[in-house]
Amino acid sequence: MEEKMEDNNVHGSDGEDTKKEQDEYEKFCYVCRRSEQVTGPMISMPGSMNLCHDCMQKAFDSVSQGGFDLSKIPNMPYMNLNLNDLGKLNSQDFDIPKKQKIKKRSDKEAKPEISLKDIPAPHVIRQKLDEYVIGQEQAKKVISVAVYNHYKRVYLTEKGMTEEEGNVQIEKSNILMIGPTGSGKTYLVKTLAKLLDVPLAIADATSLTEAGYIGDDIESVVSKLLSAAGNDVDKAERGIIFIDEIDKIAKKKSTSSRDVSGESVQQELLKLLEGSTVEVPVGSNQKNALTPMTSVRTDNILFICGGAFPDLEDIIKERLKEKSSMGFSAELKDRYEKDSNILFQVTNEDLRKFGMIPEFLGRLPISVTLESLNKDLLIRVLKEPKNAILKQYKKLLELDEVQLVFEEEALEWIAEEAMKKKTGARALRAIIENFMLDIMYEIPKDPSIGSVVITRAYLDKKGGPFIQMRS
């Protein structure tokens, strides 16, 4: 008797959990995989199977034609069963994976609104970025102002202050980031999203192709953001999408084949950048018959595009040399040859020559250039950020009760080696990992070691680290 009561309690709690989950997530049609938000109210059948009115009507139309087996309809293998048999089926047969479930949209009254007090001022954003990102002063300033203005625009939009009511309509402030590899483009965006506590999706433009070809469709970038937001559409519509390697979709100058990953991708990105409602697959980058679909508005999503633009310096130099003239006051043609930060003089004309179409550049009104990291900046990158590489290794050895010290000359050697690799801050970790391998392997062997000093002689392979034993 007690066992039966326990079973009933278990089933009761399971039923409550199931009902709670049904209230929290959107219903999806078992056939077309569209959400209730798109199709309207659905017909719920035994076994937790939901069907939209369109698919149900198609099923009845097929029956009315006479002698048609409903089990032959794609995704409807159970429609030839009796209703009594449907009740015996397991609900898991019709359920979709949790990663493909969509949380229901909040009502306007219940939806948490953005308050102006919640939007950090530009100087506050800049101060926070300074704790993590070294250098790039102008870039941090431009991005701080752009992000502040973007979320004020989101605030006005959600308040319903439209142009028809006499209010000024603020345009989107999408950002184009130009800078050499390893200058901190991706890290800057990651830090920004973390500080603002908004979902972030990082997409690679090299994987994007025109619809119908092998590769990711344009909507996949929004699908990644939806996944980062825990399939919460309201939260995703306030997030940030960073499209890296944007220079790789430049218009091909001469090709005999169809340009499916260049200009056509730029054209298809226009609707996302400007703001539109798109149908995106949930929990997948590809659209197919078994993938649930939902609609996401991109009006309030901040798009940041970044790229190294490797040949852009030559285009800028060519333009600047054309301006050089003759005479005592003329500029020398070789003046710009050794300028490491020539990208700061980039114009839209240069980007168009590179292969970016004018419509695409017009939807990225804010352009920011990141400087290449010199020796002094690389040394600061090693030491100063909150999660600097040296601080990470010091923390790891602290767990073994060993103090790790780097001499200034050793830091200079690391920065000089990183400069030779020409990959910016990315080279620092590779260099440190190389010479720290033996230390991280040998130190735990001897519990009497108290401190380790990394010297330049050790890095030059002319000596070893200075090791001090515990007193």
Side-chain angles (χ1 to χ4, degrees):
M1 186 73 175
E2 291 178 0
E3 291 179 0
K4 288 183 179 179
M5 290 179 65
E6 288 178 2
D7 290 342
N8 289 336
N9 290 334
V10 170
H11 291 307
S13 62
D14 288 344
E16 290 174 5
D17 292 340
T18 304
K19 188 176 185 305
K20 185 179 179 182
E21 191 170 300
Q22 288 175 352
D23 293 338
E24 185 180 358
Y25 293 100
E26 291 273 2
K27 291 180 181 178
F28 279 90
C29 177
Y30 180 69
V31 179
C32 66
R33 294 289 177 172
R34 293 182 299 168
S35 67
E36 191 174 21
Q37 172 198 338
V38 177
T39 64
M42 293 195 180
I43 300 166
S44 296
M45 301 183 68
S48 300
M49 183 170 67
N50 302 303
L51 294 172
C52 68
H53 285 272
D54 291 339
C55 294
M56 184 62 81
Q57 187 61 50
K58 288 176 183 176
F60 286 136
D61 290 344
S62 300
V63 172
S64 63
Q65 292 173 7
F68 191 80
D69 187 0
L70 291 178
S71 63
K72 294 180 181 177
I73 300 177
N75 300 339
M76 296 186 71
Y78 301 106
M79 289 306 293
N80 62 335
L81 296 176
N82 295 323
L83 290 177
N84 293 332
D85 296 330
L86 279 173
K88 298 175 185 178
L89 293 174
N90 192 342
S91 61
Q92 293 179 353
D93 295 335
F94 309 103
D95 211 359
I96 59 175
K98 184 140 188 188
K99 69 174 185 178
Q100 294 185 327
K101 290 184 177 180
I102 290 288
K103 289 186 177 179
K104 286 185 177 179
R105 284 180 180 266
S106 306
D107 297 330
K108 283 190 177 180
E109 296 79 13
K111 183 179 180 179
E113 293 184 353
I114 289 181
S115 170
L116 285 176
K117 294 180 181 178
D118 297 333
I119 307 172
H123 70 279
V124 176
I125 298 174
R126 166 74 180 274
Q127 288 171 2
K128 293 290 186 182
L129 289 175
D130 285 339
E131 296 177 6
Y132 295 90
V133 182
I134 299 301
Q136 315 299 357
E137 306 303 326
Q138 181 64 18
K140 288 187 285 191
K141 185 177 180 181
V142 172
I143 289 172
S144 299
V145 173
V147 169
Y148 181 62
N149 289 337
H150 171 77
Y151 281 100
K152 282 198 292 187
R153 176 185 176 277
V154 174
Y155 167 78
L156 292 174
T157 304
E158 293 189 353
K159 278 285 185 183
M161 300 179 180
T162 60
E163 193 175 5
E164 289 77 10
E165 297 171 357
N167 293 290
V168 177
Q169 194 72 15
I170 301 174
E171 297 295 331
K172 288 190 72 177
S173 49
N174 297 320
I175 304 169
L176 174 63
M177 296 174 68
I178 303 169
T181 179
S183 58
K185 299 183 293 293
T186 306
Y187 187 66
L188 198 58
V189 177
K190 282 183 178 179
T191 306
L192 186 65
K194 184 179 177 183
L195 297 176
L196 295 171
D197 192 25
V198 294
L200 168 69
I202 299 177
D204 196 336
T206 56
S207 65
L208 300 177
T209 58
E210 188 179 352
Y213 290 85
I214 295 175
D216 290 342
D217 291 340
I218 305 302
E219 291 82 5
S220 67
V221 300
V222 183
S223 183
K224 288 180 181 179
L225 180 64
L226 187 61
S227 178
N231 289 352
D232 187 336
V233 178
D234 292 328
K235 194 174 179 181
E237 289 179 345
R238 296 175 180 173
I240 298 174
I241 292 178
F242 178 58
I243 305 177
D244 201 4
E245 307 289 352
I246 201 69
D247 51 308
K248 303 302 186 293
I249 60 168
K251 185 165 53 175
K252 305 297 185 291
K253 298 205 168 36
S254 58
T255 178
S256 57
S257 59
R258 185 178 176 88
D259 188 9
V260 299
S261 61
E263 183 181 359
S264 58
V265 175
Q266 292 186 56
Q267 295 281 3
E268 292 192 17
L269 277 171
L270 298 180
K271 62 178 181 180
L272 296 186
L273 296 174
E274 190 170 14
S276 62
T277 302
V278 292
E279 290 282 322
V280 299
V282 183
S284 173
N285 289 342
Q286 300 291 336
K287 297 177 181 178
N288 56 62
L290 298 178
T291 303
M293 304 287 291
T294 191
S295 58
V296 178
R297 290 180 60 86
T298 66
D299 300 68
N300 293 333
I301 296 175
L302 176 62
F303 285 86
I304 303 177
C305 299
F309 294 86
D311 298 325
L312 189 59
E313 293 97 331
D314 297 332
I315 296 173
I316 298 171
K317 288 174 186 176
E318 187 181 344
R319 173 175 57 83
L320 294 173
K321 284 178 182 178
E322 289 175 357
K323 294 182 179 179
S324 60
S325 57
M326 299 178 65
F328 290 106
S329 60
E331 293 183 354
L332 296 175
K333 286 193 173 185
D334 61 350
R335 173 185 172 186
Y336 305 104
E337 290 299 329
K338 296 181 180 179
D339 189 354
S340 59
N341 290 318
I342 197 169
L343 285 175
F344 279 89
Q345 303 193 50
V346 69
T347 63
N348 269 12
E349 178 190 347
D350 299 326
L351 291 169
R352 287 180 63 180
K353 283 186 179 179
F354 185 86
M356 312 308 290
I357 62 175
E359 301 96 317
F360 184 78
L361 295 173
R363 286 162 176 79
L364 295 165
I366 299 171
S367 178
V368 58
T369 303
L370 280 74
E371 60 185 317
S372 55
L373 299 178
N374 56 31
K375 179 180 171 181
D376 293 334
L377 285 174
L378 287 171
I379 293 173
R380 291 182 61 196
V381 169
L382 284 169
K383 300 189 299 182
E384 296 181 18
K386 268 192 172 183
N387 55 349
I389 305 171
L390 299 189
K391 290 180 182 179
Q392 294 177 34
Y393 275 98
K394 286 179 181 180
K395 185 66 177 177
L396 288 172
L397 285 179
E398 274 179 16
L399 298 175
D400 293 322
E401 298 182 354
V402 178
Q403 185 182 5
L404 179 65
V405 180
F406 283 81
E407 288 185 345
E408 283 298 321
E409 290 184 356
L411 296 180
E412 290 179 6
W413 183 91
I414 296 170
E416 288 166 4
E417 288 297 307
M419 292 282 289
K420 293 176 186 177
K421 292 182 180 293
K422 296 183 179 180
T423 54
R426 285 194 178 93
L428 295 174
R429 178 170 285 278
I431 294 168
I432 293 177
E433 288 275 1
N434 187 35
F435 69 75
M436 283 296 292
L437 176 63
D438 291 335
I439 292 175
M440 299 298 289
Y441 182 79
E442 298 293 339
I443 290 297
K445 288 183 181 180
D446 192 348
S448 61
I449 296 176
S451 66
V452 179
V453 180
I454 305 298
T455 62
R456 180 158 189 149
Y458 169 62
L459 300 178
D460 278 329
K461 296 183 179 179
K462 296 178 181 178
F466 180 69
I467 297 176
Q468 214 167 15
M469 312 306 286
R470 299 182 196 276
S471 56

